Structures are given as structure tokens and as C-alpha cells.
Amino acid sequence: MEQMTICPHCGGNACYEQQVTEEVTTNFCFGCGFSTSTMMKVNSRLLTETLDTSPSLYKDLMYTDDKDQVWFPATVTLPEKGMVFLDGTSKEKWKWAAVKAVEILEEEKAKFPKDQKFKMDTKNTQFFEQRDFMDALDAIHFFDLEPDII
Ligand SMILES: [Zn+2]
């Protein structure tokens, strides 16, 4: 089951909610680029693990909604299309970075695992303003996908 809902973080109406299992529902907001799930609760083990493995900027930007669910900036990785992730130095100073995937050239193939066909073209990273998460997704052709892959 999936639907668009109002995002408690940015107030926009492009928050994609998907019930993954009976107990777990995930939220991914196309407006602000933040996401959460019903497992990402205050004091949960998942939250502790996420905080342990995330850059400190993520801690500064995390947001707790009125259901005690914690939202973080999303990282989108589509191996054959590209990546969108948050890049910055402080709570105020950050942007969305979009990196397109490009095909690995014949002469570079030795540097990559055998069946890998694409690499992230990090030399051509594009940056987008905080409110332009959707443009960043567009830059990697995210919306060409079938909606249920999200
Ligand atoms: Zn939002």
C-alpha cells in the first residue's frame, strides 16, 4: 500500500508513504529529501546504529516528528543512473549533490569488479539548493523509473 501524504518535516504534500510489511511503513519526501520509517524511532536500536554510522551533519539535521519518528536526509543510489546525497559543512551550509552513473570504458575495466558496468562520474557532480531535491533527482533521471521501484 502506498500513498502521498503531508510531510511533517517540510509541510509539502509530496511525501511518499509505503507500507512495506504489517509493522513497517516508510516515508520518503520528494519535497525536502528527508526520509524515515516506523522503525526509526527515538531510542530505537536502528536510530543508534544510524547515528553511529552517519556523518555528524546528519545528526545536526535530524528531525523528530510528533510520532517520535526520526527523519534524516535521504541518500538515493541507483547503480545504473546515479546518486543523490547531501553534501555540506554545517546545518546551514549544505546542498544536494547529484552524480550521474556513466558506463565504464573498456580500458578502465580492470579497475572495477568484473560485472560492474557503471561507475559514478564524481568529476561532474552537480549541486542543487536545499529546496531543489527534486531537481537533483531529475538530474540522474530518477523519475524515468517505474514508481513502485522507489
Ligand atoms: Zn518534506
Side-chain angles (χ1 to χ4, degrees):
M1 217 175 63
E2 56 203 50
Q3 57 174 334
M4 286 293 185
T5 59
I6 302 291
C7 170
H9 178 250
C10 70
N13 61 2
C15 188
Y16 183 82
E17 184 172 280
Q18 187 175 27
Q19 188 168 358
V20 186
T21 66
E22 198 127 320
E23 297 86 31
V24 180
T25 300
T26 59
N27 283 87
F28 179 94
C29 180
F30 289 103
C32 61
F34 278 58
S35 65
T36 188
S37 85
T38 43
M39 289 164 68
M40 193 64 87
K41 290 263 190 192
V42 171
N43 297 325
S44 67
R45 199 156 65 109
L46 181 61
L47 177 62
T48 312
E49 284 170 5
T50 304
L51 288 173
D52 281 350
T53 54
S54 300
S56 62
L57 182 55
Y58 279 59
K59 286 170 217 176
D60 297 338
L61 289 168
M62 72 180 216
Y63 164 79
T64 307
D65 67 19
D66 56 12
K67 288 186 283 189
D68 277 351
Q69 275 176 226
V70 180
W71 296 67
F72 285 102
T75 298
V76 177
T77 309
L78 304 171
E80 301 194 353
K81 287 184 175 285
M83 285 176 73
V84 171
F85 53 94
L86 185 136
D87 187 68
T89 48
S90 75
K91 219 177 155 173
E92 291 77 30
K93 274 195 173 164
W94 61 268
K95 288 183 188 239
W96 293 107
V99 182
K100 270 192 219 162
V102 288
E103 260 182 277
I104 295 171
L105 300 172
E106 205 53 51
E107 59 264 34
E108 309 174 304
K109 283 201 168 140
K111 288 191 279 177
F112 294 93
K114 226 178 172 185
D115 41 4
Q116 193 176 331
K117 291 197 180 73
F118 292 86
K119 62 167 188 177
M120 294 300 159
D121 188 15
T122 46
K123 283 196 207 103
N124 293 305
T125 306
Q126 289 174 268
F127 291 97
F128 295 86
E129 297 302 322
Q130 298 179 9
R131 60 174 185 281
D132 292 335
F133 180 66
M134 267 214 247
D135 292 338
L137 289 180
D138 218 17
I140 63 161
H141 303 294
F142 179 86
F143 296 103
D144 298 354
L145 292 174
E146 295 296 317
D148 61 301
I149 298 175
I150 296 166

